[in-house]
Amino acid sequence: MIEIHQLSKRFDTITAVDNLSFQVAPGEVLGFLGPNGAGKSTTMKMITGFLTPDSGRISIYGTDISGDPIAAKQQIGYLPEGAPCYGDMTVLHFLRFIASVRRLGREEKGRRIGELISLLQLASVQHQTIDTLSKGYKRRVGLAQAILHDPKVLILDEPTDGLDPNQKHQVRELIRNLAQDKIVIISTHLLEEVSAVCSRAIIIHRGAIIADGTPAQLQAHSKYHKAITLRFTQPYPVAQTLATLPGVAEVVGATQGHGYTVFPEAGVDISAAVSACIHDRGWCVAEMHTLEGRLDEVFRQLTGGQS
Ligand SMILES: Nc1ncnc2c1ncn2[C@@H]1O[C@H](COP(=O)(O)OP(=O)(O)OP(=O)(O)O)[C@@H](O)[C@H]1O
């Protein structure tokens, strides 16, 4: 269990993290979302012991990070923003160095590095210096060093940044597999990443938590939650008719074709009423879908439209 209690950090006049409290349990993949400058990286740096908080407590499986930083850090794997340092080392030398720092035994060191080179597809670049690698490879080397000692806690700052779509997919699979018995916290700007890998998401804005829930719970705040999209084969008086149904908040027509989005009033399920109305009128429907909600819209709504 990770327990964060009333964590705060200021840089001169900027309050980067403002009285943040939350807990994360094993098996959870927690996504940290927020606009640029929201305080995600600063929070991660404090959880990993790289930055000292001005106030508040951080406990990693019962160990206070400021009380016993070495014991706490032994349990953590951290992928910071950007590329791994020591760019003049080859990938293999760097991973051997990290394995020594993490005090892996000789045999375990060789076995584990071999496993990770294969898992993260680093074989073709293992003798290349890190400075000469592409962004995607640097990111994968960063991930390899973060999970080398098989930590119980993984803190990953934008883990798929710079990866191509195939690599993004592979890394997300890897995170999902790793998460089974670990605590994983990832920061990301990619809302599809939250839906793909996170069991829970926290939205941070100006250093404070403004939403906390499963991706589905957050999507339920969207005005698209349980909205119905329709496409008809020919023109009908759809907007006027459906707008009069009980529970319908708004009907918006598409700019092209005979498509509509029917928005419900909050918490109302309008699917039965809409289907019955269409059936009664004998209208020919080409497509009909009920939407889950849009995380990007919830994010914009809660953060006031900032990037
Ligand atoms: N070392 C520092 N010195 C001064 N200000 C800092 C420092 N580190 C962060 N900040 C400021 O603290 C605030 C939070 O920054 P942080 O990097 O934690 O945000 P973030 O949510 O990770 O942003 P991004 O999504 O852009 O990475 C920002 O206003 C940033 O400029």
Side-chain angles (χ1 to χ4, degrees):
M1 175 78 89
I2 290 185
E3 290 168 284
I4 313 276
H5 185 66
Q6 296 184 339
L7 197 65
S8 292
K9 180 77 186 173
R10 286 177 70 86
F11 297 105
D12 297 323
T13 54
I14 299 166
T15 302
V17 175
D18 190 8
N19 205 26
L20 217 61
S21 296
F22 59 91
Q23 301 185 341
V24 201
E28 277 192 302
V29 182
L30 174 66
F32 257 9
L33 284 170
N36 289 129
K40 305 179 294 291
S41 296
T42 306
T43 304
M44 291 181 141
K45 284 177 190 161
M46 290 192 283
I47 298 174
T48 52
F50 275 74
L51 260 184
T52 309
D54 294 338
S55 57
R57 279 198 325 272
I58 299 166
S59 157
I60 312 286
Y61 282 96
T63 306
D64 190 288
I65 190 110
S66 57
D68 192 348
I70 293 179
K73 285 180 189 175
Q74 276 169 349
Q75 310 190 66
I76 299 174
Y78 176 39
L79 172 71
E81 281 176 297
C85 43
Y86 309 123
D88 52 351
M89 279 187 177
T90 67
V91 172
L92 202 53
H93 282 143
F94 177 66
L95 293 179
R96 282 183 184 149
F97 167 69
I98 296 293
S100 305
V101 171
R102 292 293 187 182
R103 296 182 188 280
L104 265 60
R106 194 183 166 81
E107 223 171 86
E108 194 188 1
K109 196 169 165 177
R111 180 183 54 77
R112 195 68 188 133
I113 290 173
E115 273 172 17
L116 289 174
I117 283 182
S118 148
L119 189 68
L120 290 156
Q121 299 174 353
L122 293 168
S124 61
V125 298
Q126 60 181 313
H127 301 298
Q128 228 172 291
T129 54
I130 291 169
D131 269 346
T132 66
L133 299 180
S134 68
K135 195 172 173 189
Y137 274 113
K138 283 180 182 157
R139 218 62 200 129
R140 278 142 68 186
V141 175
L143 264 169
Q145 67 75 29
I147 59 179
L148 191 63
H149 58 303
D150 196 20
K152 284 159 84 177
V153 176
L154 269 177
I155 311 284
L156 309 174
D157 204 343
E158 301 194 27
T160 61
D161 184 36
L163 303 186
D164 69 32
N166 290 334
Q167 294 164 353
K168 273 191 168 68
H169 177 76
Q170 284 162 5
V171 166
R172 287 173 188 163
E173 286 250 319
L174 175 71
I175 294 172
R176 270 198 300 268
N177 291 336
L178 287 169
Q180 282 164 16
D181 57 344
K182 297 187 196 304
I183 290 172
V184 183
I185 301 180
I186 67 169
S187 81
T188 180
H189 287 289
L190 306 171
L191 296 168
E192 90 259 9
E193 193 147 286
V194 174
S195 310
V197 294
C198 298
S199 56
R200 176 178 162 204
I202 282 181
I203 302 181
I204 300 183
H205 188 38
R206 299 191 178 125
I209 294 176
I210 53 167
D212 182 353
T214 64
Q217 284 166 341
L218 296 184
Q219 278 176 329
H221 292 291
S222 165
K223 75 171 197 169
Y224 289 88
H225 182 59
K226 302 279 183 214
I228 296 172
T229 59
L230 292 159
R231 198 166 58 77
F232 295 92
T233 53
Q234 51 192 289
Y236 299 116
V238 176
Q240 308 87 301
T241 311
L242 296 185
T244 61
L245 292 177
V248 170
E250 193 184 5
V251 183
V252 177
T255 45
Q256 284 183 335
H258 313 299
Y260 296 86
T261 304
V262 188
F263 293 96
E265 288 167 3
V268 181
D269 188 344
I270 54 170
S271 52
V274 169
S275 299
C277 177
I278 291 169
H279 182 260
D280 290 348
R281 306 267 160 163
W283 293 342
C284 287
V285 178
E287 276 175 43
M288 179 170 176
H289 302 284
T290 301
L291 306 178
E292 289 304 317
R294 286 173 35 181
L295 215 44
D296 61 336
E297 189 242 338
V298 175
F299 182 86
R300 275 203 312 277
Q301 209 188 88
L302 293 175
T303 59
Q306 289 186 13
S307 63

